[in-house]
């Protein structure tokens, strides 16, 4: 499988950076060079801004029906190219082919959903107080968007922003992930080949801080969307706020998991282990802080540890691999530090805990139990294949622990009691809660956090609203 030298996509053309600067792309399964990606400079960003600005009015006034048809063509192309794109994603990101293919196909479903939803971006007629007055709200595209996406889901993170922006009638500049540039470029290629006019979609790579500090304050940009860590999100939301630009922020999480003594423990173990170790735990909604009711805790822990130990970790080139390497080398010392900190403060390491081999960035599925609440892992997002398991004796205690942190992205619970489920859905402070299954991240449902986990949603009808502005018209006679 060959890997492309990825270029920038500006004003409908693939081209290198004006300076010809490039960054190296590494293969996380070997740690060796895979290819290159062009590194945009100011001149390239100016060209992207000009392109996004010049086409904006035309795209905004393109009928929603036509926008929908073009987008649905892009979805078809993405489906048709899914095998090749998924192979590239596996190479650059490390995830097994089946997961990469699943992400790519799900991307096509996201495009379809937003394409259709864009046809339903209705304004309103508001009953007036006088018979000859007409009051209307008009929903219209907010303007050119600057979007910043990370490396953990190279297609999914881009396609949510891209689809919502295009369906609303916005043009967009995406700053894609430098670590995993080929698969998002292939996604953008589907939109280009489907007939999206030049300039509506632009894709750049480079120095993230340099690009965000130039694009966000720029007068052409009217909307900002970012997915990544909470500290960076706060920085970028602050910058957007200074320039009075709305910002969607999909940030870090620290998902609590509550397993009660009336739960189907086997089901909980198998579903949660699959979810935890998917994408090597580099998922913002990854289950992390497990709380198991004391009477079922040993049973749960034994089974979960056995499941973690059975996971086949290996390169995507081995079809039997269930979990790939970490996408970035820097995650290894971060995880090692978290584990040493937890064990040093009294936690028990039940399995895993270290890097596998010295080629590539593989890490063992890791389970810690009896983890003191003040340890780093109990407070910072691990973003890796690590689980911290503690026990609880009653519902109040479990809910209090679930709500202890300022994050509020995903939460999970297993219980057969419907009254308890009712209580959890009201009292757990998270943007999303999934009870007795993992049911998040579908195109038609909200996806987003509260508190330090972010602002706004990237799924469901509200996601489209984020790219629209509402204007009010009142007319007499
Ligand atoms: P990081 O904080 O350095 O970067 C996170 C993302 O933000 C990357 O995509 C990076 O390119 C981008 N970024 C960083 N500084 C930026 C800036 N000034 N302007 C624009 N973009 C910027 O962390 P990392 O080592 O890449 O990833 C680890 C942490 O990031 C994790 O702990 C996790 O909290 C977070 N993360 C979250 C998601 C998510 O899906 N919410 C995805 C990736 C990373």
């Amino acid at each position: 499988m060959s890997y492309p030298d990825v270029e920038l996509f500006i004003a409908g053309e693939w081209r290198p950076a004006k300076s010809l600067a490039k960054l190296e792309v590494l293969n996380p399964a070997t740690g060796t060079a895979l290819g290159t990606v062009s590194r945009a400079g100011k001149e390239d960003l100016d060209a992207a801004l000009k392109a996004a600005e010049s086409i904006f009015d035309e795209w905004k006034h393109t009928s929603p029906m036509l926008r929908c048809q073009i987008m649905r063509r892009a979805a078809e192309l993405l489906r048709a190219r899914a095998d090749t794109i998924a192979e590239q994603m596996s190479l650059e990101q490390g995830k097994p082919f089946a997961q990469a293919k699943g992400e790519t196909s799900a991307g096509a479903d996201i495009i379809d959903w937003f394409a259709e939803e864009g046809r339903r971006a209705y304004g309103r007629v508001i009953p007036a107080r006088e018979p000859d007055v007409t009051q209307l709200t008009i929903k219209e595209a907010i303007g050119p968007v600057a979007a910043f996406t990370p490396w953990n889901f190279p297609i999914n993170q881009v396609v949510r922003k891209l689809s919502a922006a295009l369906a609303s009638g916005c043009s967009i500049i995406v700053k894609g992930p430098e670590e995993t540039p080929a698969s998002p470029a292939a996604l953008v290629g589907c939109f280009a080949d489907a007939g999206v006019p030049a300039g509506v979609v632009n894709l750049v790579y480079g120095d993230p801080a340099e690009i965000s500090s130039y694009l966000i304050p720029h007068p052409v940009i009217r909307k900002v969307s970012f997915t990544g860590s909470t500290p960076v999100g706060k920085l970028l939301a602050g910058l957007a706020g200074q320039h009075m630009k709305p910002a969607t922020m999909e940030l870090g999480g620290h998902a609590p998991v509550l397993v009660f003594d009336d739960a189907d423990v086997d089901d909980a173990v198998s579903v949660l282990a699959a979810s935890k170790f998917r994408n090597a735990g580099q998922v913002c909604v990854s289950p992390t802080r497990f709380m198991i009711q004391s009477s079922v805790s040993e049973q749960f822990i034994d089974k979960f540890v056995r499941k973690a130990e059975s996971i086949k970790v290996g390169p995507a080139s081995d079809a039997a691999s269930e979990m790939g390497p970490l996408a970035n080398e820097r995650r290894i010392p971060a995880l090692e530090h978290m584990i040493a900190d937890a064990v040093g403060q009294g936690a028990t390491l039940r399995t895993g805990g270290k890097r596998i081999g010295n080629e590539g960035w593989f890490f063992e599925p890791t389970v810690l139990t009896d983890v003191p609440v003040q340890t780093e892992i109990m407070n910072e997002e691990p973003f890796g294949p690590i689980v911290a398991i503690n026990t609880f004796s009653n519902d109040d205690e479990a809910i209090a622990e679930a709500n202890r942190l300022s994050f509020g992205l995903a939460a999970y619970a297993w219980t057969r009691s419907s009254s308890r489920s009712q209580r959890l859905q009201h009292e757990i402070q998270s943007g999303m809660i999934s009870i007795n299954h993992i049911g998040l991240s579908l195109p038609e449902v909200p996806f987003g956090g509260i508190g330090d986990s972010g602002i706004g949603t990237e799924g469901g009808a509200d996601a489209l609203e984020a790219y629209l502005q509402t204007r009010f018209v009142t007319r007499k006679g």
Side-chain angles (χ1 to χ4, degrees):
M1 172 77 206
S2 65
Y3 188 85
D5 283 326
V6 182
E7 296 188 318
L8 312 175
F9 187 67
I10 296 174
E13 282 183 11
W14 293 101
R15 63 164 182 79
K18 278 274 185 290
S19 67
L20 301 181
K22 291 179 178 184
L23 299 165
E24 197 170 52
V25 180
L26 298 177
N27 181 341
T30 59
T32 55
L34 193 57
T36 62
V37 57
S38 293
R39 181 196 192 284
K42 190 170 160 302
E43 269 182 284
D44 304 302
L45 299 179
D46 282 337
L49 285 160
K50 190 168 164 231
E53 184 184 30
S54 328
I55 196 70
F56 170 65
D57 258 349
E58 182 187 323
W59 185 246
K60 173 181 159 183
H61 291 115
T62 300
S63 79
M65 180 68 153
L66 182 55
R67 290 200 301 249
C68 173
Q69 285 166 352
I70 295 172
M71 288 180 69
R72 293 201 68 148
R73 242 184 343 254
E76 281 313 310
L77 290 173
L78 186 59
R79 282 191 188 95
R81 299 173 187 176
D83 280 344
T84 317
I85 297 176
E87 279 173 23
Q88 288 179 349
M89 191 195 295
S90 287
L91 269 179
E92 63 189 5
Q93 205 274 347
K95 65 183 72 182
F97 176 79
Q99 290 179 27
K101 175 100 185 266
E103 180 180 338
T104 308
S105 308
D109 295 345
I110 289 172
I111 301 171
D112 277 342
W113 191 83
F114 277 108
E116 289 296 333
E117 196 63 11
R119 297 169 62 188
R120 292 184 277 273
Y122 307 126
R124 282 191 169 165
V125 177
I126 301 167
R129 296 183 180 198
E130 295 168 48
D132 58 346
V133 168
T134 305
Q135 305 183 128
L136 304 171
T137 61
I138 298 172
K139 298 270 184 193
E140 63 178 22
I142 190 164
V145 176
F148 302 86
T149 67
W151 42 264
N152 57 340
F153 291 99
I155 293 253
N156 178 278
Q157 305 282 23
V158 177
V159 80
R160 284 178 176 277
K161 299 179 197 308
L162 193 52
S163 303
L166 263 55
S168 314
C170 294
S171 53
I172 186 167
I173 303 174
V174 177
K175 201 292 290 167
E178 290 73 26
E179 296 92 333
T180 59
S183 49
L187 166 72
V188 165
C190 294
F191 280 91
D193 295 346
V196 170
V200 170
V201 179
N202 304 275
L203 176 66
V204 297
Y205 299 95
D207 179 276
E210 205 176 287
I211 296 179
S212 61
S213 60
Y214 190 65
L215 290 186
I216 294 175
H218 198 285
V220 162
I221 296 299
R222 298 310 317 155
K223 156 89 189 163
V224 175
S225 182
F226 170 76
T227 299
S229 61
T230 296
V232 176
K234 286 183 174 174
L235 196 80
L236 302 194
L239 193 55
Q242 277 171 36
H243 297 271
M244 209 48 76
K245 298 178 185 179
T248 301
M249 292 282 144
E250 207 277 275
L251 309 178
H254 203 286
V257 178
L258 277 51
V259 179
F260 292 86
D261 58 8
D262 61 353
D264 180 338
V265 171
D266 287 341
D267 181 63
V269 167
S270 108
V271 174
L272 287 164
S275 175
K276 175 72 228 181
F277 299 114
R278 182 174 70 104
N279 211 27
Q282 303 161 112
V283 184
C284 55
V285 294
S286 187
T288 287
R289 219 169 354 125
F290 286 41
M291 284 157 272
I292 316 296
Q293 196 148 20
S294 303
S295 51
V296 291
S297 64
E298 269 318 305
Q299 187 197 147
F300 181 94
I301 291 166
D302 284 348
K303 289 180 175 173
F304 195 88
V305 166
R306 261 186 279 137
K307 199 89 187 168
E309 287 171 344
S310 75
I311 288 173
K312 173 129 179 40
V313 182
S317 55
D318 178 350
S321 298
E322 294 167 310
M323 188 181 108
L326 299 167
N328 293 295
E329 189 171 19
R330 60 182 176 271
R331 220 51 228 146
I332 291 177
L335 297 183
E336 286 171 344
H337 184 271
M338 271 187 174
I339 294 164
D341 169 69
V343 172
Q345 296 198 56
T348 304
L349 179 62
R350 300 292 278 250
T351 189
K354 56 183 192 309
R355 180 180 184 178
I356 303 172
N358 54 12
E359 191 193 71
W361 309 319
F362 296 94
F363 206 90
E364 292 175 334
T366 298
V367 180
L368 292 159
T369 56
D370 301 312
V371 192
V373 81
Q374 74 279 5
T375 52
E376 191 184 332
I377 186 152
M378 291 295 282
N379 296 280
E380 305 286 329
E381 185 175 33
F383 230 63
I386 306 189
V387 175
I389 307 184
N390 284 335
T391 60
F392 69 89
S393 50
N394 63 56
D395 294 25
D396 289 347
E397 198 189 321
I399 291 170
E401 170 56 24
N403 289 340
R404 179 176 56 84
L405 298 182
S406 56
F407 293 116
L409 192 57
Y412 306 95
W414 257 257
T415 174
R416 286 192 175 97
S417 156
S418 62
S419 61
R420 178 180 273 144
S421 293
Q422 292 265 359
R423 182 176 175 201
L424 298 176
Q425 73 196 38
H426 289 298
E427 294 190 22
I428 291 195
Q429 293 301 303
S430 60
M432 303 170 272
I433 180 163
S434 191
I435 301 176
N436 294 328
H437 77 143
I438 304 271
L440 308 180
S441 204
L442 303 169
E444 62 272 25
V445 304
F447 188 90
I450 58 176
D452 272 355
S453 292
I455 305 170
T457 173
E458 294 217 285
D462 292 344
L464 206 66
E465 286 289 317
Y467 294 85
L468 296 166
Q469 60 191 6
T470 303
R471 292 195 297 109
F472 173 62
V473 177
T474 180
R475 195 175 66 223
K476 190 162 178 139

PDB file of all heavy atoms in Angstrom, residues 135-149:
ATOM      1  N   GLN A 135     -44.209  38.869  10.576  1.00  0.00           N
ATOM      2  CA  GLN A 135     -42.946  38.696  11.312  1.00  0.00           C
ATOM      3  C   GLN A 135     -42.301  37.381  10.895  1.00  0.00           C
ATOM      4  O   GLN A 135     -42.943  36.330  10.952  1.00  0.00           O
ATOM      5  CB  GLN A 135     -43.202  38.668  12.822  1.00  0.00           C
ATOM      6  CG  GLN A 135     -43.953  39.879  13.334  1.00  0.00           C
ATOM      7  CD  GLN A 135     -44.124  39.846  14.849  1.00  0.00           C
ATOM      8  OE1 GLN A 135     -43.794  40.789  15.524  1.00  0.00           O
ATOM      9  NE2 GLN A 135     -44.638  38.775  15.377  1.00  0.00           N
ATOM     10  N   LEU A 136     -41.049  37.469  10.480  1.00  0.00           N
ATOM     11  CA  LEU A 136     -40.348  36.279   9.986  1.00  0.00           C
ATOM     12  C   LEU A 136     -38.991  36.122  10.637  1.00  0.00           C
ATOM     13  O   LEU A 136     -38.319  37.119  10.902  1.00  0.00           O
ATOM     14  CB  LEU A 136     -40.027  36.419   8.482  1.00  0.00           C
ATOM     15  CG  LEU A 136     -41.103  36.676   7.488  1.00  0.00           C
ATOM     16  CD1 LEU A 136     -40.450  36.985   6.139  1.00  0.00           C
ATOM     17  CD2 LEU A 136     -41.964  35.426   7.365  1.00  0.00           C
ATOM     18  N   THR A 137     -38.581  34.889  10.840  1.00  0.00           N
ATOM     19  CA  THR A 137     -37.156  34.678  11.096  1.00  0.00           C
ATOM     20  C   THR A 137     -36.567  33.989   9.868  1.00  0.00           C
ATOM     21  O   THR A 137     -37.196  33.113   9.278  1.00  0.00           O
ATOM     22  CB  THR A 137     -36.863  33.809  12.335  1.00  0.00           C
ATOM     23  OG1 THR A 137     -37.431  32.523  12.148  1.00  0.00           O
ATOM     24  CG2 THR A 137     -37.402  34.432  13.602  1.00  0.00           C
ATOM     25  N   ILE A 138     -35.388  34.437   9.502  1.00  0.00           N
ATOM     26  CA  ILE A 138     -34.691  33.853   8.353  1.00  0.00           C
ATOM     27  C   ILE A 138     -33.426  33.185   8.880  1.00  0.00           C
ATOM     28  O   ILE A 138     -32.659  33.789   9.628  1.00  0.00           O
ATOM     29  CB  ILE A 138     -34.309  34.961   7.345  1.00  0.00           C
ATOM     30  CG1 ILE A 138     -35.567  35.637   6.820  1.00  0.00           C
ATOM     31  CG2 ILE A 138     -33.458  34.402   6.219  1.00  0.00           C
ATOM     32  CD1 ILE A 138     -35.286  36.857   5.977  1.00  0.00           C
ATOM     33  N   LYS A 139     -33.238  31.944   8.482  1.00  0.00           N
ATOM     34  CA  LYS A 139     -31.998  31.232   8.849  1.00  0.00           C
ATOM     35  C   LYS A 139     -31.074  31.302   7.655  1.00  0.00           C
ATOM     36  O   LYS A 139     -31.459  30.915   6.546  1.00  0.00           O
ATOM     37  CB  LYS A 139     -32.292  29.757   9.125  1.00  0.00           C
ATOM     38  CG  LYS A 139     -33.217  29.526  10.275  1.00  0.00           C
ATOM     39  CD  LYS A 139     -32.450  29.395  11.554  1.00  0.00           C
ATOM     40  CE  LYS A 139     -33.375  29.064  12.698  1.00  0.00           C
ATOM     41  NZ  LYS A 139     -32.743  29.211  13.977  1.00  0.00           N
ATOM     42  N   GLU A 140     -29.873  31.776   7.859  1.00  0.00           N
ATOM     43  CA  GLU A 140     -28.939  31.811   6.732  1.00  0.00           C
ATOM     44  C   GLU A 140     -27.537  31.424   7.169  1.00  0.00           C
ATOM     45  O   GLU A 140     -27.190  31.536   8.349  1.00  0.00           O
ATOM     46  CB  GLU A 140     -28.938  33.201   6.098  1.00  0.00           C
ATOM     47  CG  GLU A 140     -28.463  34.267   7.041  1.00  0.00           C
ATOM     48  CD  GLU A 140     -28.396  35.651   6.416  1.00  0.00           C
ATOM     49  OE1 GLU A 140     -29.073  35.893   5.413  1.00  0.00           O
ATOM     50  OE2 GLU A 140     -27.644  36.476   6.955  1.00  0.00           O
ATOM     51  N   ALA A 141     -26.756  30.983   6.195  1.00  0.00           N
ATOM     52  CA  ALA A 141     -25.373  30.554   6.472  1.00  0.00           C
ATOM     53  C   ALA A 141     -24.620  31.691   7.143  1.00  0.00           C
ATOM     54  O   ALA A 141     -24.710  32.848   6.730  1.00  0.00           O
ATOM     55  CB  ALA A 141     -24.701  30.175   5.156  1.00  0.00           C
ATOM     56  N   ILE A 142     -23.858  31.328   8.176  1.00  0.00           N
ATOM     57  CA  ILE A 142     -23.208  32.368   8.983  1.00  0.00           C
ATOM     58  C   ILE A 142     -22.013  33.008   8.277  1.00  0.00           C
ATOM     59  O   ILE A 142     -21.717  34.184   8.484  1.00  0.00           O
ATOM     60  CB  ILE A 142     -22.804  31.783  10.355  1.00  0.00           C
ATOM     61  CG1 ILE A 142     -22.363  32.880  11.305  1.00  0.00           C
ATOM     62  CG2 ILE A 142     -21.730  30.720  10.248  1.00  0.00           C
ATOM     63  CD1 ILE A 142     -22.318  32.444  12.756  1.00  0.00           C
ATOM     64  N   GLY A 143     -21.331  32.230   7.430  1.00  0.00           N
ATOM     65  CA  GLY A 143     -20.153  32.775   6.736  1.00  0.00           C
ATOM     66  C   GLY A 143     -19.046  31.744   6.672  1.00  0.00           C
ATOM     67  O   GLY A 143     -19.227  30.602   7.105  1.00  0.00           O
ATOM     68  N   PRO A 144     -17.887  32.120   6.130  1.00  0.00           N
ATOM     69  CA  PRO A 144     -16.772  31.172   6.044  1.00  0.00           C
ATOM     70  C   PRO A 144     -16.335  30.686   7.437  1.00  0.00           C
ATOM     71  O   PRO A 144     -16.278  31.463   8.389  1.00  0.00           O
ATOM     72  CB  PRO A 144     -15.663  31.988   5.377  1.00  0.00           C
ATOM     73  CG  PRO A 144     -16.407  33.033   4.581  1.00  0.00           C
ATOM     74  CD  PRO A 144     -17.601  33.392   5.427  1.00  0.00           C
ATOM     75  N   VAL A 145     -16.049  29.386   7.500  1.00  0.00           N
ATOM     76  CA  VAL A 145     -15.763  28.715   8.777  1.00  0.00           C
ATOM     77  C   VAL A 145     -14.281  28.336   8.844  1.00  0.00           C
ATOM     78  O   VAL A 145     -13.694  27.950   7.829  1.00  0.00           O
ATOM     79  CB  VAL A 145     -16.599  27.406   8.858  1.00  0.00           C
ATOM     80  CG1 VAL A 145     -16.271  26.605  10.109  1.00  0.00           C
ATOM     81  CG2 VAL A 145     -18.089  27.705   8.769  1.00  0.00           C
ATOM     82  N   ALA A 146     -13.694  28.437  10.035  1.00  0.00           N
ATOM     83  CA  ALA A 146     -12.365  27.850  10.270  1.00  0.00           C
ATOM     84  C   ALA A 146     -12.554  26.675  11.208  1.00  0.00           C
ATOM     85  O   ALA A 146     -13.094  26.828  12.307  1.00  0.00           O
ATOM     86  CB  ALA A 146     -11.422  28.866  10.902  1.00  0.00           C
ATOM     87  N   ALA A 147     -12.136  25.482  10.749  1.00  0.00           N
ATOM     88  CA  ALA A 147     -12.336  24.259  11.544  1.00  0.00           C
ATOM     89  C   ALA A 147     -10.998  23.585  11.809  1.00  0.00           C
ATOM     90  O   ALA A 147     -10.151  23.512  10.911  1.00  0.00           O
ATOM     91  CB  ALA A 147     -13.256  23.300  10.792  1.00  0.00           C
ATOM     92  N   PHE A 148     -10.828  23.102  13.034  1.00  0.00           N
ATOM     93  CA  PHE A 148      -9.560  22.492  13.450  1.00  0.00           C
ATOM     94  C   PHE A 148      -9.855  21.090  13.957  1.00  0.00           C
ATOM     95  O   PHE A 148     -10.654  20.921  14.878  1.00  0.00           O
ATOM     96  CB  PHE A 148      -8.919  23.336  14.567  1.00  0.00           C
ATOM     97  CG  PHE A 148      -8.689  24.757  14.129  1.00  0.00           C
ATOM     98  CD1 PHE A 148      -9.705  25.712  14.246  1.00  0.00           C
ATOM     99  CD2 PHE A 148      -7.486  25.135  13.550  1.00  0.00           C
ATOM    100  CE1 PHE A 148      -9.508  27.016  13.809  1.00  0.00           C
ATOM    101  CE2 PHE A 148      -7.289  26.435  13.107  1.00  0.00           C
ATOM    102  CZ  PHE A 148      -8.304  27.383  13.236  1.00  0.00           C
ATOM    103  N   THR A 149      -9.202  20.095  13.331  1.00  0.00           N
ATOM    104  CA  THR A 149      -9.580  18.713  13.655  1.00  0.00           C
ATOM    105  C   THR A 149      -8.362  17.871  14.049  1.00  0.00           C
ATOM    106  O   THR A 149      -7.276  18.056  13.498  1.00  0.00           O
ATOM    107  CB  THR A 149     -10.281  18.054  12.451  1.00  0.00           C
ATOM    108  OG1 THR A 149      -9.332  17.911  11.397  1.00  0.00           O
ATOM    109  CG2 THR A 149     -11.458  18.866  11.965  1.00  0.00           C
TER     110      THR A 149
END
